[in-house]
Amino acid sequence: MKTGVVDFDALLARLDLGAKVRLLTGAGRWSLPPLPEIGLDRVVMSDGPIGVRGEQWRAVDPSIALPSPTALAATWDVDLVRRVGRLLAQEARRKGVHVLLAPTINLHRSPLGGRHFACFSEDAYLTGEIGAAYVEGVQEGGVAAAPKHFATGHATADVRVSEKALREVCLRPFERVVRAGAWGLMTACDSVNGTTMTEHAELVNGVLKGEWGFDGLVVSDWTAVRTTEAAALGGTDVAMPGPHGPWGERLEAAVREGRVPESVVDDRVRRILRLAHRVGALHDAEPPPVEEQPAAHGAEPRGGPAIDGVALAREVATRAFTLLANDGILPFQEVGTIALIGAAAAEARIMGGGSAQVFPGRIVSPLQGLGERAEVRYALGTDPRTRLSPLPGPATAAFLDADGAVLSEQPLATAEARWTGQWPPDVDGDRLAAVRLRTTYTPDVSGEHQLSVAGVGDFAVTVDGETVFDGSTGPDGDDPARAFLSPPERRISLPMAAGHAHEVVVTHPAGAFGSFTVGHANPGPGEDALMAEAVRVAAECDVVVVVAATTPEVESEGFDRADLRLPGRQDELVHAVAAANPRTVVVVNAGSPVELPWAEEVAAVLLTWFPGQEAGAALADVLFGDAEPGGRLPTTWPRRLRDAPVVDAMPVDGVIGYRAWERSGRAPAFWFGHGLGYTTWSYDSIAAEGMTVTVAVTNTGDRPGREVVQVYVDGALAGFDVVEAAPGESVLTTVFLPERALQVWQEGGWRTVEGVHTVEAGRHAADPRLSATVKI
Ligand code: BGC
């Protein structure tokens, strides 16, 4: 078979069975083995989705950190998301990455989902459109995207789901990105209707590769391949990570003994070669057809100049910030002093934890961003974090053998060590016995400081040569993902002197994770005193900005949330501050819904999601009105968890999110699609003809603005467009409805529902401004 001008069969014919099978398991954590004899380079993969981490799990080579996926979806702006994809391709090429393990296009089904921040939306159509733009942008830059986790994306569950709900809801975004031409795809760890996705021949071979004609590479989720024959026959192309796993010699034997046909192996190798060809990792080959030609790694993206990642991170953040309520206080006019309150105001939560983590070169906090624009008085108020922040560093990690000899040394930006079992290239894993982290800390204040070590296993901690801890932290439960993402922490209280350089050394036997953090906190006056100080500062300033955030302990990959409350005493803080000064703006720094019990007491609520590295700069742009908050909710925001119609369930009759709220007859705090700008709009006229809907809107305010015009068919989102207009200007937008908007899955196929359909245009799912009908 030929693709472009490469004869993959000829290359395949040069490989014996052993070489072909070896290619199907990772060479290590992040790459497939090279085969120089046929001109095949190592194919390198990396997470995704907010930046490209590269092969190292640490800050050696910083990455641009963009806002998280919920934020990207909140822009409702496919052109912007395509530019994001182009930037990610540029980052990937800079880091030698060929496959970006992103975007995550599983749906928000329950507000309690721990990985909610890493997915786009509760709506299958919005997810598909944003996902397709992301994939197209990445691939325009010559890098493969691998949307994940096919099909329903639960980490461990066996998801029981009807064919109708599967087709109309869960699979719809995947179908969209495959039709957009994705070169890769990752299957999930979970099972669907009793079969693990890694072995799910019906969905992978049948639907994905067969019905949709997917010709790309199906990558397993990490460690999800657990069987030899079933996974090989189930349609998964490569087992990650490697080099060990259930394939290798066992798969070779299965082929020799006729349990797995050799054609199955050949098809997978062809898929690897095709992908390698598309991303420029196959050298013997002729160049691919022009539309699939990658830019050379390290070069400019095809068809465009280099993208300024810092500027784009800031632009995306402002476009994603979602103004939920505003009594007119925003944008600020002639503000004197600002009381800035909250732990996250000084240290923003710019990204969610887990595989999405990257290490940015800089982080602009709200304190820094607002401080450059106005007179700011900062007060902590309360600190909801249950873990101490890493000692600021710089630090050095030494890799020691059993005799204590140094095998290698590495600089670290902070006292945070994360090798996740992948040691630096010059460290011989067989000789490695321990890792020793050394740093110097010079406090600003004298008193009883807190030091901590967070990690799993044994640690010896010395300060100025004195042992202050020597013992084991002990595992916190037996879930390895949780142990890695949220490890136990041991605290040590000790006196430190202002201006004195204290030497802190932590030694840890090299274990599977090679991951630990040395934390620190200054002596503090106690929570009640901090709260009282914040209230006093709030009362003395013209306006108050409180930044309220979730913490990694309550919102992260690896576990679901127990409730939707802001952690710690943050609600109490907002009530108290708003009582002291009604001109209070609350900035909500969370990746997914939280309850806002004080919403009626404050002047404005601005949702910043996990805003990426330019958090504070973007916040200043929006609060001072240099940019409009452009976001609209990609997911319904419940008032209280107990109101949510779906808390931990799969779609019933193909319905989740706002459709389930509509059916329940209850109103959420804010509907899907809601978000205010800084101007006002009138919805003037609608015309629907066949699959084309035209809507006219006018900017009725006194400043230029952007509006997300949303079109719903029979109550479900079916089209949207971002328009811009000057004060008094009217604009016309045309939205093309997708075929699926008028179809249902019935008796094994898509059926167009004949009759009269209601087409509405409006500002959110429950705010129809204009209505028309189409007859099919
Ligand atoms: C996650 C994937 C990720 C992979 C590699 C898995 O645990 O589910 O989303 O791409 O790890 O980090």
Side-chain angles (χ1 to χ4, degrees), residues 357-426:
Q357 187 183 9
V358 298
F359 299 89
R362 69 173 212 170
I363 292 176
V364 184
S365 68
L367 184 54
Q368 205 180 331
L370 299 191
E372 282 170 11
R373 307 281 275 269
E375 192 193 328
V376 167
R377 288 180 59 194
Y378 175 71
L380 174 64
T382 181
D383 192 341
R385 290 168 295 190
T386 54
R387 250 159 238 279
L388 304 185
S389 306
L391 264 175
T396 311
F399 298 86
L400 312 176
D401 72 8
D403 301 325
V406 175
L407 302 172
S408 167
E409 280 197 328
Q410 299 266 318
L412 299 175
T414 64
E416 204 171 1
R418 271 179 184 253
W419 285 277
T420 61
Q422 196 193 23
W423 307 112
D426 59 344

Coordinates of all heavy atoms in Angstrom, one line a residue, residues 357-426:
Q357 N 0.9 18.7 33.5 CA 1.9 19.7 34.0 C 3.0 20.0 33.1 O 3.6 19.1 32.5 CB 2.4 19.1 35.4 CG 3.3 20.1 36.1 CD 3.9 19.5 37.4 OE1 3.8 18.3 37.6 NE2 4.5 20.3 38.2
V358 N 3.3 21.3 33.0 CA 4.6 21.7 32.3 C 5.3 22.7 33.2 O 4.8 23.1 34.2 CB 4.3 22.4 30.9 CG1 3.6 21.4 30.0 CG2 3.5 23.7 31.1
F359 N 6.5 23.1 32.8 CA 7.4 23.9 33.6 C 7.6 25.2 32.9 O 8.5 25.2 32.0 CB 8.7 23.2 34.0 CG 8.4 22.0 34.8 CD1 8.2 20.7 34.1 CD2 8.3 22.0 36.2 CE1 7.9 19.6 34.9 CE2 8.0 20.9 36.9 CZ 7.8 19.6 36.2
P360 N 6.9 26.3 33.1 CA 7.1 27.5 32.4 C 8.3 28.3 32.8 O 8.8 28.1 33.9 CB 5.8 28.3 32.7 CG 5.3 27.8 34.0 CD 5.8 26.4 34.1
G361 N 8.8 29.1 31.9 CA 10.0 29.9 32.2 C 9.7 31.1 33.1 O 10.6 31.6 33.8
R362 N 8.4 31.5 33.2 CA 8.0 32.6 34.1 C 6.5 32.5 34.4 O 5.8 31.9 33.7 CB 8.3 34.0 33.5 CG 7.4 34.3 32.4 CD 7.6 35.8 32.0 NE 6.4 36.4 31.5 CZ 6.2 37.7 31.2 NH1 7.3 38.5 31.4 NH2 5.1 38.2 30.8
I363 N 6.2 33.0 35.6 CA 4.8 33.1 36.0 C 4.5 34.5 36.5 O 5.2 35.0 37.3 CB 4.5 32.0 37.1 CG1 4.6 30.6 36.6 CG2 3.1 32.3 37.7 CD1 4.4 29.5 37.6
V364 N 3.5 35.1 35.9 CA 3.1 36.4 36.3 C 1.9 36.3 37.3 O 0.8 35.9 36.9 CB 2.7 37.4 35.2 CG1 2.4 38.8 35.7 CG2 3.8 37.4 34.1
S365 N 2.1 36.6 38.6 CA 1.1 36.4 39.6 C 0.1 37.7 39.5 O 0.5 38.7 39.0 CB 1.7 36.4 41.0 OG 2.2 37.6 41.3
P366 N -1.1 37.6 40.0 CA -2.0 38.7 40.1 C -1.3 39.9 40.8 O -1.4 41.1 40.4 CB -3.2 38.2 40.8 CG -3.3 36.8 40.4 CD -1.8 36.3 40.4
L367 N -0.5 39.6 41.9 CA 0.1 40.6 42.6 C 1.1 41.4 41.8 O 1.1 42.6 41.8 CB 0.9 39.9 43.8 CG 1.6 40.9 44.8 CD1 0.6 41.9 45.4 CD2 2.1 40.0 46.0
Q368 N 1.8 40.7 41.0 CA 2.8 41.3 40.1 C 2.0 42.1 39.0 O 2.3 43.2 38.7 CB 3.6 40.2 39.4 CG 5.0 40.6 39.0 CD 5.6 39.4 38.4 OE1 5.4 38.3 38.8 NE2 6.5 39.6 37.4
G369 N 1.0 41.4 38.4 CA 0.3 42.0 37.2 C -0.4 43.3 37.6 O -0.3 44.3 36.9
L370 N -1.2 43.3 38.7 CA -1.9 44.4 39.2 C -1.0 45.5 39.8 O -1.2 46.7 39.6 CB -3.0 44.1 40.2 CG -4.1 43.1 39.8 CD1 -5.2 43.1 40.8 CD2 -4.6 43.5 38.4
G371 N 0.1 45.0 40.4 CA 1.1 45.9 41.0 C 1.7 46.8 40.0 O 2.2 47.9 40.4
E372 N 1.8 46.4 38.8 CA 2.5 47.2 37.8 C 1.5 48.3 37.3 O 1.9 49.2 36.6 CB 2.9 46.3 36.6 CG 4.2 45.6 36.9 CD 4.5 44.5 35.9 OE1 3.9 44.5 34.8 OE2 5.4 43.7 36.2
R373 N 0.2 48.2 37.6 CA -0.7 49.1 37.1 C -1.4 50.0 38.1 O -2.0 51.0 37.8 CB -1.9 48.3 36.4 CG -1.4 47.3 35.4 CD -1.1 48.0 34.1 NE -2.3 48.1 33.3 CZ -2.7 47.2 32.5 NH1 -2.0 46.2 32.2 NH2 -3.8 47.4 31.8
A374 N -1.3 49.7 39.4 CA -2.0 50.5 40.4 C -1.3 50.3 41.8 O -0.4 49.5 41.9 CB -3.5 49.9 40.5
E375 N -1.8 51.1 42.7 CA -1.3 50.9 44.1 C -2.0 49.8 44.7 O -3.2 49.8 44.9 CB -1.5 52.2 44.9 CG -0.7 52.2 46.2 CD -1.1 53.4 47.1 OE1 -1.5 54.4 46.6 OE2 -1.1 53.1 48.3
V376 N -1.3 48.7 45.1 CA -1.9 47.5 45.6 C -1.4 47.3 47.0 O -0.3 47.4 47.3 CB -1.5 46.3 44.7 CG1 -1.8 45.0 45.3 CG2 -2.1 46.4 43.3
R377 N -2.4 46.9 47.9 CA -2.0 46.5 49.2 C -2.5 45.1 49.4 O -3.6 44.7 49.2 CB -2.7 47.4 50.3 CG -2.1 48.8 50.3 CD -2.8 49.6 51.3 NE -2.7 49.1 52.6 CZ -3.5 49.5 53.7 NH1 -4.3 50.5 53.5 NH2 -3.4 48.9 54.9
Y378 N -1.5 44.2 49.6 CA -1.7 42.8 49.6 C -2.0 42.2 51.0 O -1.3 42.6 52.0 CB -0.6 42.0 49.0 CG -0.7 40.5 49.1 CD1 -1.7 39.9 48.3 CD2 0.0 39.7 50.0 CE1 -1.9 38.5 48.4 CE2 -0.1 38.4 50.1 CZ -1.1 37.8 49.3 OH -1.3 36.4 49.4
A379 N -3.0 41.4 51.2 CA -3.2 40.6 52.4 C -3.5 39.2 52.1 O -4.3 38.9 51.2 CB -4.3 41.2 53.2
L380 N -2.9 38.3 52.8 CA -3.1 36.8 52.5 C -4.5 36.4 52.9 O -5.2 35.7 52.1 CB -2.1 36.0 53.3 CG -2.2 34.5 53.3 CD1 -2.0 34.0 51.9 CD2 -1.2 33.8 54.2
G381 N -5.0 36.8 54.0 CA -6.4 36.5 54.4 C -6.5 35.1 55.0 O -6.7 34.9 56.2
T382 N -6.3 34.1 54.1 CA -6.3 32.7 54.6 C -5.6 31.9 53.5 O -5.6 32.3 52.3 CB -7.7 32.2 54.8 OG1 -7.7 30.8 55.2 CG2 -8.6 32.2 53.5
D383 N -4.9 30.8 54.0 CA -4.2 30.0 53.0 C -4.8 28.6 53.0 O -4.7 27.9 53.9 CB -2.7 29.9 53.4 CG -1.9 29.3 52.2 OD1 -2.5 28.7 51.4 OD2 -0.7 29.5 52.2
P384 N -5.6 28.3 51.9 CA -6.3 27.0 51.8 C -5.4 25.8 51.5 O -5.8 24.7 51.6 CB -7.2 27.2 50.7 CG -6.5 28.2 49.7 CD -5.7 29.1 50.6
R385 N -4.1 26.1 51.2 CA -3.3 25.0 50.8 C -2.9 24.1 52.0 O -2.5 24.7 53.0 CB -2.0 25.5 50.1 CG -2.3 26.1 48.7 CD -1.1 26.8 48.2 NE -0.8 28.0 49.0 CZ 0.1 28.9 48.7 NH1 0.7 28.9 47.5 NH2 0.3 30.0 49.5
T386 N -3.0 22.8 51.8 CA -2.6 22.0 52.9 C -1.2 21.5 52.8 O -0.7 20.8 53.7 CB -3.6 20.8 53.0 OG1 -3.5 20.1 51.8 CG2 -5.0 21.2 53.4
R387 N -0.5 21.9 51.8 CA 0.9 21.6 51.6 C 1.7 22.9 51.5 O 1.2 23.9 50.9 CB 1.0 20.9 50.2 CG 1.3 19.5 50.2 CD 0.9 18.9 48.9 NE 0.0 17.9 49.2 CZ 0.4 16.7 49.5 NH1 1.6 16.4 49.6 NH2 -0.5 15.8 49.9
L388 N 2.9 22.8 51.9 CA 3.8 24.0 51.8 C 4.3 24.2 50.4 O 4.5 23.2 49.7 CB 4.9 23.9 52.8 CG 4.6 23.6 54.3 CD1 5.8 23.6 55.1 CD2 3.6 24.6 54.8
S389 N 4.5 25.4 50.0 CA 5.1 25.7 48.7 C 6.6 25.3 48.7 O 7.3 25.4 49.7 CB 5.1 27.2 48.4 OG 3.8 27.6 48.5
P390 N 7.1 24.9 47.5 CA 8.5 24.5 47.4 C 9.4 25.7 47.9 O 9.1 26.8 47.6 CB 8.7 24.2 46.0 CG 7.4 24.1 45.3 CD 6.4 24.8 46.2
L391 N 10.5 25.3 48.5 CA 11.6 26.3 48.8 C 12.0 26.9 47.4 O 12.1 26.2 46.5 CB 12.8 25.6 49.4 CG 12.9 25.6 50.9 CD1 14.1 24.8 51.3 CD2 13.0 27.0 51.5
P392 N 12.2 28.2 47.4 CA 12.3 28.9 46.1 C 13.6 28.4 45.3 O 13.5 28.5 44.1 CB 12.5 30.4 46.4 CG 12.6 30.4 47.9 CD 12.1 29.2 48.5
G393 N 14.6 27.9 45.9 CA 15.7 27.5 45.0 C 16.6 28.7 44.7 O 16.4 29.8 45.2
P394 N 17.6 28.6 43.8 CA 17.9 27.4 43.0 C 18.5 26.3 43.9 O 18.9 26.5 45.1 CB 19.0 27.8 42.1 CG 19.6 29.0 42.7 CD 18.5 29.7 43.5
A395 N 18.4 25.1 43.4 CA 18.9 23.9 44.2 C 19.7 23.0 43.3 O 19.8 23.3 42.1 CB 17.7 23.1 44.7
T396 N 20.4 22.1 43.9 CA 21.2 21.1 43.1 C 20.8 19.7 43.5 O 20.7 19.5 44.7 CB 22.7 21.3 43.4 OG1 23.0 22.7 43.3 CG2 23.6 20.6 42.4
A397 N 20.7 18.9 42.5 CA 20.4 17.5 42.8 C 21.7 16.7 42.4 O 22.2 16.9 41.4 CB 19.3 17.0 41.9
A398 N 22.2 15.9 43.4 CA 23.3 15.0 43.1 C 22.8 13.6 43.1 O 22.0 13.2 44.0 CB 24.4 15.2 44.2
F399 N 23.3 12.8 42.1 CA 22.9 11.4 42.0 C 24.1 10.6 42.5 O 25.2 10.7 42.0 CB 22.6 11.1 40.5 CG 21.4 11.9 40.0 CD1 21.6 13.2 39.5 CD2 20.1 11.4 40.1 CE1 20.6 13.9 39.1 CE2 19.1 12.1 39.7 CZ 19.3 13.4 39.2
L400 N 23.8 9.7 43.6 CA 24.9 9.1 44.3 C 24.8 7.6 44.1 O 23.7 7.0 44.0 CB 24.7 9.3 45.8 CG 24.5 10.8 46.2 CD1 24.2 10.9 47.7 CD2 25.7 11.7 45.8
D401 N 26.0 6.9 44.1 CA 26.0 5.5 44.1 C 26.0 5.0 45.5 O 26.0 5.8 46.4 CB 27.2 4.9 43.2 CG 28.5 5.1 43.9 OD1 28.6 5.5 45.1 OD2 29.6 4.9 43.2
A402 N 26.1 3.6 45.7 CA 26.0 3.0 47.0 C 27.0 3.5 48.0 O 26.9 3.5 49.2 CB 26.0 1.5 46.9
D403 N 28.2 3.9 47.4 CA 29.3 4.4 48.3 C 29.2 5.9 48.5 O 30.1 6.5 49.1 CB 30.7 4.1 47.6 CG 30.8 2.6 47.4 OD1 30.3 1.8 48.3 OD2 31.4 2.2 46.4
G404 N 28.2 6.6 48.0 CA 28.1 8.0 48.1 C 28.8 8.8 47.1 O 28.9 10.0 47.1
A405 N 29.4 8.1 46.1 CA 30.1 8.9 45.0 C 29.1 9.5 44.1 O 28.0 8.9 43.8 CB 31.0 7.9 44.2
V406 N 29.4 10.7 43.6 CA 28.5 11.5 42.8 C 28.6 11.0 41.4 O 29.6 11.1 40.7 CB 28.8 13.0 42.9 CG1 27.9 13.8 42.0 CG2 28.6 13.5 44.3
L407 N 27.5 10.5 40.8 CA 27.5 10.0 39.4 C 27.2 11.2 38.5 O 27.7 11.3 37.3 CB 26.4 9.0 39.2 CG 26.4 7.8 40.1 CD1 25.2 6.9 39.9 CD2 27.6 6.9 39.7
S408 N 26.4 12.2 39.0 CA 26.0 13.3 38.1 C 25.4 14.4 39.0 O 24.9 14.1 40.1 CB 25.0 12.9 37.1 OG 24.5 14.0 36.4
E409 N 25.4 15.6 38.5 CA 24.8 16.7 39.3 C 23.9 17.5 38.3 O 24.3 17.7 37.1 CB 25.8 17.7 39.9 CG 26.3 17.1 41.2 CD 27.0 18.2 42.0 OE1 27.6 19.1 41.5 OE2 27.0 18.0 43.3
Q410 N 22.7 18.0 38.8 CA 21.8 18.7 37.9 C 21.3 19.9 38.7 O 20.9 19.8 39.9 CB 20.6 17.8 37.6 CG 20.8 16.6 36.9 CD 20.7 16.7 35.4 OE1 19.8 17.4 35.0 NE2 21.6 16.1 34.7
P411 N 21.2 21.1 38.0 CA 20.6 22.2 38.7 C 19.1 22.1 38.7 O 18.5 21.6 37.7 CB 21.1 23.4 37.8 CG 21.3 22.8 36.5 CD 21.7 21.4 36.7
L412 N 18.4 22.6 39.7 CA 17.0 22.7 39.7 C 16.5 24.1 40.0 O 17.2 24.8 40.8 CB 16.4 21.8 40.9 CG 16.8 20.3 40.8 CD1 16.3 19.6 42.1 CD2 16.1 19.7 39.6
A413 N 15.4 24.5 39.4 CA 14.9 25.9 39.6 C 14.4 26.1 41.0 O 14.6 27.1 41.7 CB 13.9 26.2 38.6
T414 N 13.7 25.1 41.6 CA 13.2 25.1 42.9 C 13.5 23.8 43.6 O 14.0 22.9 43.0 CB 11.6 25.3 43.0 OG1 11.1 24.1 42.4 CG2 11.2 26.5 42.2
A415 N 13.1 23.7 44.9 CA 13.5 22.5 45.6 C 12.4 21.4 45.3 O 11.8 20.8 46.3 CB 13.6 22.8 47.1
E416 N 12.2 21.2 44.1 CA 11.2 20.2 43.7 C 11.9 19.2 42.7 O 12.4 19.7 41.7 CB 10.1 21.0 42.9 CG 8.8 20.3 42.9 CD 7.7 21.2 42.3 OE1 8.0 22.3 41.9 OE2 6.6 20.7 42.3
A417 N 11.9 18.0 43.1 CA 12.6 17.0 42.3 C 11.6 16.0 41.7 O 10.8 15.4 42.4 CB 13.6 16.2 43.2
R418 N 11.6 15.9 40.4 CA 10.6 15.0 39.7 C 11.3 14.3 38.5 O 11.4 15.0 37.5 CB 9.4 15.8 39.2 CG 8.4 15.9 40.3 CD 7.2 16.7 39.7 NE 6.3 16.9 40.8 CZ 5.1 16.3 40.8 NH1 4.7 15.5 39.8 NH2 4.2 16.5 41.8
W419 N 11.7 13.1 38.7 CA 12.3 12.4 37.6 C 11.3 11.3 37.1 O 11.5 10.7 36.0 CB 13.6 11.8 37.9 CG 14.6 12.9 37.9 CD1 15.3 13.4 36.8 CD2 15.1 13.6 39.0 NE1 16.1 14.4 37.2 CE2 16.0 14.6 38.6 CE3 14.8 13.6 40.4 CZ2 16.7 15.5 39.4 CZ3 15.4 14.4 41.2 CH2 16.3 15.4 40.8
T420 N 10.3 11.0 37.9 CA 9.3 10.0 37.5 C 10.0 8.7 37.0 O 9.6 8.2 35.9 CB 8.2 10.5 36.6 OG1 8.9 10.9 35.4 CG2 7.4 11.6 37.1
G421 N 11.0 8.3 37.6 CA 11.7 7.1 37.2 C 12.6 7.2 36.0 O 13.2 6.3 35.5
Q422 N 12.6 8.4 35.4 CA 13.4 8.6 34.2 C 14.6 9.5 34.6 O 14.5 10.7 34.7 CB 12.5 9.3 33.1 CG 13.1 9.2 31.7 CD 12.4 10.1 30.8 OE1 11.8 11.1 31.2 NE2 12.5 9.8 29.5
W423 N 15.7 8.9 34.8 CA 16.9 9.6 35.3 C 17.6 10.4 34.2 O 17.4 10.0 33.0 CB 17.9 8.6 36.0 CG 17.2 7.8 37.0 CD1 16.9 6.5 37.0 CD2 16.5 8.3 38.2 NE1 16.2 6.1 38.1 CE2 16.0 7.1 38.9 CE3 16.4 9.5 38.9 CZ2 15.3 7.2 40.1 CZ3 15.7 9.6 40.1 CH2 15.2 8.5 40.7
P424 N 18.3 11.4 34.5 CA 19.1 12.1 33.5 C 19.9 11.2 32.7 O 20.4 10.1 33.2 CB 19.9 13.1 34.2 CG 19.2 13.3 35.5 CD 18.5 12.0 35.8
P425 N 20.2 11.4 31.4 CA 20.9 10.5 30.5 C 22.2 10.0 31.0 O 22.6 8.9 30.8 CB 21.0 11.2 29.2 CG 20.3 12.5 29.3 CD 19.8 12.7 30.8
D426 N 23.0 10.9 31.8 CA 24.3 10.4 32.2 C 24.3 9.7 33.5 O 25.3 9.4 34.1 CB 25.2 11.7 32.3 CG 24.7 12.7 33.2 OD1 23.5 12.7 33.6 OD2 25.5 13.6 33.6

